[in-house]
Amino acid sequence: MSTRGLSRGGTRAIMVPWIQALGMSSPLGTLVQGCAAIRAGLSSARPSPYLSHVGEGESLAQPVMTSEASLVTLGFSNVGRLVALLVEALEDLSRRVSLSTMPADTLLFVAMPDPVERGIPLSPELEADPFRRCEALGRRVMERALDGVGVTWRGGAWHFFSAGHAGFAQALKAATNALAERRCGNCLVVAVDSLCGPDVLPEFSVQRRLKTSDTPTGFIPGEGGVALWLTGRSASVSPSGPEPRITLRAVMLGEDDARFRGATLPPDGRTLAACVTSALRMAGGDGSRLVLVGDHNGEEYRAREWGMMLMHLHSERLGQETQVSWFPAEGFGDTGAASGALGLCVAVRSLQRRYSPSPMPVVLSISDEGPRAAMVVSVAT
């Protein structure tokens, strides 16, 4: 299969970094509880306190379902909501590694939503500059979250990414490159997003993207945050318990400029399938037992791309022994910029708890725009 559309950043692999620890916040709980709930098929969807909907031919308003981490967000909106989610993720991470003693060569990589898309107020000059507005939001959220967990940042530079669902994969790829090039020995990679707040739900409703009685192919908004501690293979990694250590085997990035939500051309799944095949090839996996952890949220264009991707993978004879698809959005809702990170948590836990049918599950991200990504993890050998 052709890898046309894959970025240069997705073709370089020098070393295999370790996932030393993960922390998570979600509507179904922190890392262990939340991933166990996903495995059990539980859903956190509840009527939103902020929005109702009157469908065609209906006289009474019906509640819009959302998946909220209400015990964490406590009614906050905008920046406060993102901070609350990230604080819980960092606290969960701190149960496994000490953030207060982070090495000085630690770099920070942050995946955030576009503040304009989330209805977060900005000054006119920031609103006109996509990179600056992403960085401004990222710094504001990170500074408050670190302060909320009582941690003073002693590491190095901060880097920010905003590319929709694939933003986390882009941040993760940049972190692995930094480790491979010996620019740092450790990386903290975080992602956070909320599609549930009172400021963002009305816009999704106007766009008719929410799952309602008259829009069965809409999505259920969710929210969550993840904090991941990544370290080089040569670094000293102490055992964290009886569960196996996990390595990040490959991150493959792609770009489909012609086929995306709202585009004239329908999705054909080629770029996404090329990401999967190239990532498995980089990771050294044969793909006979295939586990795909996707960010499919119920929307029609995502379903079309997923189906076309599976067709291309079948033509490559991948998944001949086993082919399984897991969709965390069924339990967490659509978590936007955090979706890839939450999917990675699900994949890692499936390896640690030894229920993954594949030794190398693949996590996929499909942005509303062109970016596509595939990430492969495995048990360390």
Side-chain angles (χ1 to χ4, degrees):
M1 176 180 296
S2 168
T3 57
R4 182 180 180 183
L6 296 182
S7 72
R8 292 181 179 178
T11 61
R12 187 172 53 181
I14 302 174
M15 48 84 74
V16 180
W18 299 71
I19 297 177
Q20 187 167 351
L22 281 164
M24 187 178 93
S25 62
S26 80
L28 291 171
T30 52
L31 178 69
V32 174
Q33 296 85 358
C35 291
I38 288 293
R39 184 189 181 191
L42 301 182
S43 172
S44 57
R46 299 289 186 275
S48 171
Y50 310 118
L51 186 68
S52 58
H53 174 78
V54 179
E56 294 183 13
E58 298 176 350
S59 57
L60 298 177
Q62 301 295 322
V64 172
M65 304 300 286
T66 59
S67 292
E68 294 191 38
S70 53
L71 295 179
V72 176
T73 55
L74 301 174
F76 288 117
S77 61
N78 285 334
V79 174
R81 200 174 188 97
L82 299 180
V83 170
L85 290 165
L86 192 51
V87 164
E88 182 175 64
L90 290 170
E91 289 177 342
D92 193 33
L93 180 70
S94 296
R95 298 184 182 101
R96 300 170 181 91
V97 295
S98 175
L99 294 178
S100 60
T101 58
M102 72 177 70
D105 66 346
T106 304
L107 299 182
L108 176 65
F109 298 83
V110 183
M112 286 277 172
D114 186 328
V116 171
E117 295 179 0
R118 297 295 178 265
I120 297 176
L122 297 167
S123 63
E125 58 271 20
L126 281 180
E127 188 169 340
D129 189 327
F131 176 79
R132 287 185 60 210
R133 71 190 186 217
C134 170
E135 181 178 12
L137 174 63
R139 287 193 177 279
R140 191 175 175 189
V141 171
M142 279 305 308
E143 287 170 356
R144 293 187 182 185
L146 289 170
D147 184 63
V149 295
V151 172
T152 299
W153 181 259
R154 306 182 191 282
W158 294 13
H159 306 272
F160 302 92
F161 300 82
S162 180
H165 282 216
F168 171 73
Q170 293 182 0
L172 195 58
K173 183 60 186 178
T176 62
N177 285 345
L179 289 169
E181 295 164 1
R182 303 291 190 265
R183 288 188 281 120
C184 64
N186 301 272
C187 296
L188 178 61
V189 188
V190 305
V192 65
D193 202 354
S194 173
L195 282 67
C196 295
D199 301 296
V200 68
L201 281 175
E203 181 61 25
F204 286 133
S205 181
V206 169
Q207 296 172 1
R208 297 182 62 85
R209 294 187 63 187
L210 301 180
K211 186 177 182 64
T212 60
S213 58
D214 56 352
T215 310
T217 58
F219 69 84
I220 294 178
E223 58 189 357
V226 172
L228 178 153
W229 191 271
L230 201 65
T231 187
R233 188 167 191 172
S234 60
S236 174
V237 182
S238 59
S240 56
E243 295 172 341
R245 303 169 186 159
I246 306 300
T247 57
L248 179 65
R249 298 302 300 270
V251 181
M252 185 62 63
L253 307 179
E255 188 78 27
D256 193 339
D257 294 324
R259 302 171 189 271
F260 49 86
R261 189 177 69 85
T264 302
L265 294 175
D268 65 6
R270 289 183 182 276
T271 300
L272 190 59
C275 285
V276 175
T277 55
S278 298
L280 284 171
R281 190 179 304 118
M282 180 183 294
D286 62 11
S288 60
R289 289 177 290 164
L290 192 61
V291 170
L292 303 174
V293 185
D295 58 356
H296 180 23
N297 61 2
E299 290 188 285
E300 184 177 0
Y301 89 97
R302 288 183 178 273
R304 287 176 180 270
E305 182 158 5
W306 192 265
M308 295 297 291
M309 174 203 66
L310 293 179
M311 182 188 72
H312 293 303
L313 295 180
H314 179 73
S315 70
E316 293 288 320
R317 301 184 181 279
L318 295 177
Q320 287 184 301
E321 294 182 18
T322 305
Q323 183 168 298
V324 178
S325 296
W326 294 337
F327 302 116
E330 293 178 344
F332 298 144
D334 187 334
T335 50
S339 59
L342 289 165
L344 190 73
C345 289
V346 170
V348 167
R349 290 299 295 169
S350 75
L351 293 172
Q352 290 178 331
R353 301 299 294 169
R354 300 177 176 84
Y355 60 83
S356 172
S358 169
M360 291 187 180
V362 185
V363 183
L364 304 182
S365 292
I366 307 171
S367 292
D368 284 347
E369 296 77 29
R372 303 288 184 267
M375 298 162 276
V376 178
V377 290
S378 73
V379 173
T381 57

